[in-house]
Amino acid sequence: MTYVDPTSPELLADDEGPQRATFRDVVMAYVGLTKPRVIELLLLTTVPVMFFAARGVPPLGLVVATVIGGTLSAGSASVFNCVYDRDIDEQMRRTRRRALPRHIVTPAAALVFGVVLGVLSTVVLALWVNPLSAVLSVSANAFYVFVYTMLLKRRTTQNIVWGGIAGCFPALIGWTAVTGELSWVPIVLFAVVFFWTPPHTWALALRYREDYAQVDVPMLPVVKSARVVALQIVIYSWVMVATSLLLWPVASTGLLYPIVAVVLGAVFLAQAHGLHRRAKTSDELSVLQPMRLFHSSNLYLSLLFVAVAIDPLLH
């Protein structure tokens, strides 16, 4: 999926006043509210689990329905997040070009859009997948909006640790879409994503810690030194890699998955320890280079779940 940024400079007000947004501008603004890049990552942990649950290729219609329902649900949660956080988004460099801070879309219109997406996702999953998957999707949506966005994000340094639970649900939804029930296998994959989220998010927060400090969002890199944050990243990374290896005995996978998990885990741990070593010498971004770990974390999760999908095809 190609992501088109609806917040490009062409849509900003010029020196003579605000420019009139075109129909395409508005459409792309609504697309941007759903955070397509986040959706891509969530679907990446949904579809491979469906392959693993089916021990092969799942029915195409079921995959399509799950992807559509999951996309609508994740998009709905992101829209609600954008509506609630529009005040701080307007002040942060990373987010001030979003549709709401730039007044391309009104909060009321965005709220209606989010509700419509949420209702459609629930209908699609309930009718064409199964009720359990629909319930899990609604639960993930509600957790992200009410627990993370409204309760935790602006109050505690543990915001993304516990708030990140919402991003773990796709593993459960992918499994239940095929089997209609839960088991230890998706719970292990749920835990992998849970322990992956802090290193992934804290690396990004190190890069934008001044933004978070400006709006009083207590991300860990805002209230703790880079050295402390990097140590936490190392700890979570080790637990994540150990958890990923649990899938081998729990699910009786073939050899492909544990080999890939070990190799990817070793690379990830090397990146995490590298960040920690650099953090011991300086807090400067030019020295820390936290985005190296951030991009590596995306690659790690992507390839690990690709291995989850391919392993049963070979086993």
Side-chain angles (χ1 to χ4, degrees):
M1 182 186 297
T2 301
Y3 177 71
V4 180
D5 184 5
T7 61
S8 59
E10 289 77 15
L11 302 183
L12 294 175
D14 58 22
D15 294 336
E16 299 177 356
Q19 300 174 351
R20 182 180 180 83
T22 65
F23 175 75
R24 180 180 181 278
D25 296 338
V26 175
V27 169
M28 297 315 300
Y30 275 101
V31 172
L33 287 173
T34 65
K35 302 181 182 178
R37 288 176 178 173
V38 174
I39 292 176
E40 289 177 8
L41 193 60
L42 294 177
L43 293 181
L44 187 64
T45 58
T46 303
V47 177
V49 176
M50 296 183 71
F51 276 73
F52 196 83
R55 292 293 174 175
V57 180
L60 178 60
L62 182 63
V63 174
V64 171
T66 306
V67 166
I68 291 175
T71 298
L72 293 172
S73 179
S76 172
S78 293
V79 172
F80 291 139
N81 173 266
C82 287
V83 172
Y84 189 82
D85 279 348
R86 65 188 184 277
D87 58 330
I88 61 176
D89 283 351
E90 194 165 0
Q91 301 176 57
M92 297 176 64
R93 287 176 302 164
R94 187 173 64 89
T95 57
R96 65 188 176 193
R97 292 177 178 271
R98 288 176 177 172
L100 286 171
R102 294 168 52 250
H103 310 292
I104 297 178
V105 178
T106 66
L111 192 61
V112 171
F113 181 52
V115 170
V116 170
L117 292 180
V119 171
L120 288 176
S121 72
T122 304
V123 171
V124 168
L125 292 172
L127 294 182
W128 288 289
V129 182
N130 58 57
L132 178 56
S133 296
V135 169
L136 289 171
S137 178
V138 171
S139 299
N141 195 324
F143 194 95
Y144 183 73
V145 175
F146 294 109
V147 178
Y148 170 67
T149 301
M150 299 177 68
L151 181 62
L152 297 177
K153 183 174 181 178
R154 307 191 193 198
R155 290 180 172 85
T156 173
T157 59
Q158 297 299 299
N159 45 21
I160 57 92
V161 175
W162 301 110
I165 288 175
C168 306
F169 273 81
L172 304 182
I173 295 170
W175 183 270
T176 58
V178 173
T179 66
E181 61 184 13
L182 288 170
S183 76
W184 283 109
V185 174
I187 291 174
V188 170
L189 293 171
F190 178 103
V192 171
V193 180
F194 176 80
F195 291 115
W196 168 87
T197 301
H200 169 77
T201 310
W202 285 334
L204 183 66
L206 276 169
R207 168 66 177 83
Y208 292 101
R209 57 188 171 185
E210 292 181 1
D211 271 7
Y212 288 112
Q214 179 180 342
V215 294
D216 296 322
V217 173
M219 297 294 287
L220 188 64
V222 173
V223 300
K224 298 292 184 180
S225 67
R227 183 172 183 173
V228 172
V229 175
L231 178 59
Q232 289 292 309
I233 286 175
V234 167
I235 293 171
Y236 273 93
S237 299
W238 274 100
V239 177
M240 175 196 71
V241 172
T243 303
S244 72
L245 294 175
L246 283 178
L247 189 66
W248 183 18
V250 169
S252 299
T253 71
L255 288 177
L256 174 69
Y257 174 80
I259 292 173
V260 171
V262 167
V263 172
L264 291 176
V267 173
F268 194 100
L269 289 173
Q271 290 280 2
H273 280 279
L275 176 62
H276 187 229
R277 284 195 302 273
R278 295 191 295 273
K280 289 180 178 179
T281 64
S282 175
D283 267 10
E284 295 296 324
L285 283 176
S286 59
V287 175
L288 290 173
Q289 299 180 332
M291 295 303 287
R292 289 170 57 181
L293 177 63
F294 175 79
H295 293 306
S296 293
S297 68
N298 285 329
L299 186 62
Y300 170 86
L301 197 69
S302 301
L303 294 180
L304 185 74
F305 274 81
V306 167
V308 168
I310 295 177
D311 186 89
L313 302 178
L314 303 178
H315 183 38

